[in-house]
Amino acid sequence: MSRKLRLLAATAMTLLATPTFAQTAAPTQAVEAEPFGPAAAFSFDALAEKAAELARAPYAATPATYDKVLEDVTYTEHWKIMFKQAKSLMVNDSPVQFFHLGTYFRQPVKIYDVQDGQAREVVYHRDYFDMPEDSPAMAMGDDAGFAGFRVMRPDFKTDWISFLGGSYFRTDGALHQYGQSARALALDTGLATPEEFPRFTEFYIEHPKEGSESLIVNALLDSPSVSGAYRIAMTNEDGKGQVMDVQSRLFFRDGVERLGVAPLTSMFWYSESNRFASADWRPEVHDTDGLMMISGTGEQIWRPLNNPDRVMASSFADQNPQGFGLMQRDRNFENYQDDGVQFHKRPSVWIEPTSDWGNGAVQLVELPTNDEVFDNIVAFWNPEQKPEAGTEMRFDYRMHWGVDAPVEMPLARTTATRIGEGGHPGNPRPLDQHKLLVEFTGEPLEGLGLDEGVEAHITLPKGAELVEEYTTPVQGKDDTWRVQFDIKTTLPTADLRVYLSDADGTPLTETWMGQIHPQQIAYWRQH
């Protein structure tokens, strides 16, 4: 089948191809195209220059014209408004559909169709949508605008990517289940000052060249501190997930204390490590269970996620990291027991820098939560150089949305983190003593016995004491070892580091870098 755009509505007098819309009638019957704005030349360089011009002027927020009406377009009312399949904008064989404005999406975005270097705005009309006669949105005129868009699979049954709200976007990964989200940029996340949320204000959806499998989305970003241009080339392959090549050009109106590049947002309520934190019926509830990193020197690191009792920010200094991402490693349905939201199918996202990122740190921000509806985890790259007013910065990277990180992992990796009461059964349990158990699984451990020199390396912070430690293979699992140890501490937070090596000191496992909050654990033990 030809990858060219199918033109369903075109005239001999039209110099530019009219954007294609899907059809639900007989194949020979064309659907009349909705009005489009005038054509204008488009390129990513031109979009970047537009962002630079915006940054040289005072910030002007996009007005929410129908603010009072949108108060009544609640979450429930919003999802009653359905986009008409016949109005889908066809990009190759990918149907693009638009989201209506609602209470949580009040500021409209502009959406452009780009063909052969020419952009034409898709003009909002109520006729794009099916909505109940009593919908509050019926009071909105044809100047309302769109909230965002999504890309459907060719059969129209499911979508595989959506852009909706702020600069958020997400895909359904390899297993067709939405989970964590990405953002274009995070500003001052996890600080005492309010976080700033940049938003995409304009989208330019490009029709790919002949033979290309990519769907290209260009986007204009704006906020009080920064304007920017993004170019995202996306491919979707069933069974393998999605790959996005991202180019970003950032222009700062003002300084930013904590700049978050390639930010990922997720939810972690509890797992086997902090099961005591919830009385929910399910064994585990989380979109992702850890932050994985490969440093610039090649060290593979696993940081299990926490649900702390206060906002916590962890920083992992590095230079030109090979990659990082929020992973859902536990793929066993039995560990979740939720056949509705399918936590075991949630996508992992891996960030792979494709330009020089220099010095900085992967940062992880964890917020307390008591429910699965709140995203409480954010991970991003924070460059060492803080942007100031007039600064221009560029970051390019590749995003992989799949089951696991698309990298070689020659070392055994962490498969469980367990935390419990210190001491021994049948004896008083000291409140300042905690037991940790870390499981590593992988080929380097296969067949190794207690007499073959496997050694645990445990690093504790000042103020923490190692009480006892046992390192043993797991019975019945030929490739799994456990490091079990007690620590005694009254620190509010303890950062720990563990890995296994052979007798010569050569690592057999990745580096586990865990963090516990003893006072929080003690509270749950008493309640």
Side-chain angles (χ1 to χ4, degrees):
M1 179 179 179
S2 171
R3 304 293 294 178
K4 290 184 178 179
L5 174 69
R6 296 184 300 249
L7 301 177
L8 296 184
T11 66
M13 299 300 293
T14 303
L15 298 179
L16 296 172
T18 301
T20 305
F21 288 84
Q23 58 185 49
T24 54
T28 57
Q29 180 179 344
V31 176
E32 182 181 354
E34 295 294 323
F36 287 80
F42 174 81
S43 70
F44 180 62
D45 288 340
L47 186 64
E49 179 54 35
K50 183 174 183 177
E53 290 178 5
L54 278 175
R56 290 191 286 267
Y59 173 68
T62 303
T65 307
Y66 291 94
D67 210 36
K68 291 184 179 180
V69 175
L70 292 172
E71 284 282 352
D72 297 324
V73 186
T74 61
Y75 179 87
T76 301
E77 294 294 336
H78 185 253
W79 293 111
K80 290 179 182 178
I81 302 172
M82 306 298 294
F83 190 87
K84 293 179 179 178
Q85 179 174 312
K87 302 298 184 182
S88 301
L89 180 68
M90 297 301 298
V91 182
N92 281 1
D93 58 355
S94 297
V96 178
Q97 299 185 347
F98 311 125
F99 290 111
H100 201 280
L101 296 177
T103 293
Y104 298 107
F105 316 103
R106 299 192 182 197
Q107 292 174 289
V109 300
K110 293 185 177 182
I111 299 176
Y112 295 82
D113 180 85
V114 181
Q115 297 185 62
D116 301 324
Q118 298 288 317
R120 303 179 72 189
E121 183 180 357
V122 183
V123 179
Y124 170 90
H125 283 276
R126 187 188 301 161
D127 190 48
Y128 276 109
F129 300 94
D130 279 323
M131 61 181 73
E133 289 296 327
D134 60 351
S135 173
M138 293 291 286
M140 301 172 71
D142 282 342
D143 58 343
F146 302 108
F149 69 94
R150 63 178 180 169
V151 183
M152 309 295 293
R153 289 186 166 83
D155 61 6
F156 287 92
K157 292 182 179 179
T158 58
D159 57 326
W160 60 269
I161 186 170
S162 66
F163 289 78
L164 180 62
S167 66
Y168 284 88
F169 57 96
R170 61 179 185 163
T171 85
D172 64 357
L175 302 177
H176 295 187
Q177 181 65 55
Y178 281 110
Q180 66 176 301
S181 300
R183 281 187 277 172
L185 208 60
L187 301 178
D188 294 339
T189 303
L191 297 181
T193 55
E195 182 173 356
E196 184 177 318
F197 289 91
R199 62 182 297 267
F200 287 135
T201 59
E202 297 179 4
F203 291 102
Y204 297 80
I205 303 172
E206 281 191 50
H207 294 260
K209 295 180 180 179
E210 178 73 21
S212 173
E213 296 292 328
S214 295
L215 178 68
I216 300 172
V217 173
N218 301 272
L220 182 66
L221 182 86
D222 203 15
S223 78
S225 297
V226 61
S227 295
Y230 281 74
R231 182 176 177 82
I232 308 173
M234 308 176 292
T235 58
N236 174 49
E237 186 173 350
D238 279 347
K240 294 185 178 181
Q242 297 82 27
V243 177
M244 302 181 179
D245 283 299
V246 181
Q247 300 176 54
S248 67
R249 305 291 182 264
L250 305 174
F251 306 91
F252 291 85
R253 288 190 181 88
D254 201 353
V256 174
E257 177 64 23
R258 178 179 286 169
L259 177 63
V261 176
L264 302 173
T265 301
S266 186
M267 178 276 295
F268 178 87
W269 187 6
Y270 62 91
S271 69
E272 80 281 348
S273 65
N274 67 328
R275 183 66 186 86
F276 52 78
S278 172
D280 192 89
W281 63 271
R282 294 161 294 185
E284 299 184 33
V285 175
H286 50 79
D287 286 339
T288 51
D289 51 10
L291 169 67
M292 178 180 162
M293 297 167 277
I294 298 181
S295 70
T297 61
E299 182 181 15
Q300 183 177 319
I301 299 167
W302 177 255
R303 165 59 156 80
L305 297 178
N306 289 320
N307 179 8
D309 55 357
R310 61 198 184 281
V311 177
M312 296 295 303
S314 302
S315 189
F316 307 89
D318 203 358
Q319 181 178 15
N320 286 319
Q322 294 184 29
F324 71 93
L326 292 174
M327 302 287 114
Q328 184 76 313
R329 278 190 175 175
D330 191 341
R331 296 291 175 184
N332 186 352
F333 170 78
E334 299 299 322
N335 291 339
Y336 302 98
Q337 293 292 333
D338 194 324
D339 58 357
V341 297
Q342 305 280 332
F343 288 116
H344 63 295
K345 293 184 178 182
R346 301 291 170 109
S348 297
V349 181
W350 182 250
I351 305 295
E352 174 192 351
T354 54
S355 63
D356 186 349
W357 282 20
N359 294 326
V362 174
Q363 294 193 329
L364 174 68
V365 177
E366 298 164 304
L367 291 80
T369 188
N370 59 4
D371 204 329
E372 66 198 84
V373 300
F374 303 112
D375 283 343
N376 64 319
I377 304 295
V378 185
F380 49 80
W381 173 255
N382 178 227
E384 184 177 79
Q385 178 186 355
K386 294 182 181 181
E388 300 176 349
T391 301
E392 177 183 348
M393 303 181 84
R394 300 186 177 195
F395 297 94
D396 298 338
Y397 52 96
R398 181 170 294 126
M399 307 180 71
H400 303 265
W401 300 69
V403 174
D404 210 338
V407 295
E408 291 187 8
M409 289 182 270
L411 300 175
R413 62 183 194 166
T414 310
T415 48
T417 300
R418 307 180 192 278
I419 301 174
E421 292 183 315
H424 299 278
N427 296 287
R429 300 297 184 100
L431 290 178
D432 62 349
Q433 191 168 319
H434 310 282
K435 190 178 301 294
L436 286 97
L437 188 149
V438 181
E439 289 187 3
F440 295 106
T441 301
E443 185 177 349
L445 300 174
E446 192 168 346
L448 296 180
L450 288 172
D451 58 348
E452 296 187 56
V454 176
E455 182 180 355
H457 300 262
I458 303 172
T459 304
L460 305 181
K462 292 182 180 180
E465 175 189 352
L466 183 64
V467 178
E468 58 186 2
E469 174 255 320
Y470 302 98
T471 300
T472 60
V474 177
Q475 297 297 317
K477 293 185 177 181
D478 193 47
D479 60 350
T480 300
W481 278 63
R482 284 178 176 170
V483 182
Q484 179 178 310
F485 59 98
D486 277 22
I487 66 168
K488 188 174 184 178
T489 184
T490 57
L491 292 171
T493 298
D495 289 286
L496 316 171
R497 182 183 178 98
V498 177
Y499 72 94
L500 295 179
S501 75
D502 62 18
D504 296 326
T506 303
L508 296 169
T509 70
E510 67 184 1
T511 302
W512 176 92
M513 298 182 70
Q515 185 181 80
I516 66 168
H517 307 284
Q519 293 177 0
Q520 182 186 23
I521 297 171
Y523 173 84
W524 283 105
R525 287 169 65 180
Q526 296 178 73
H527 295 81

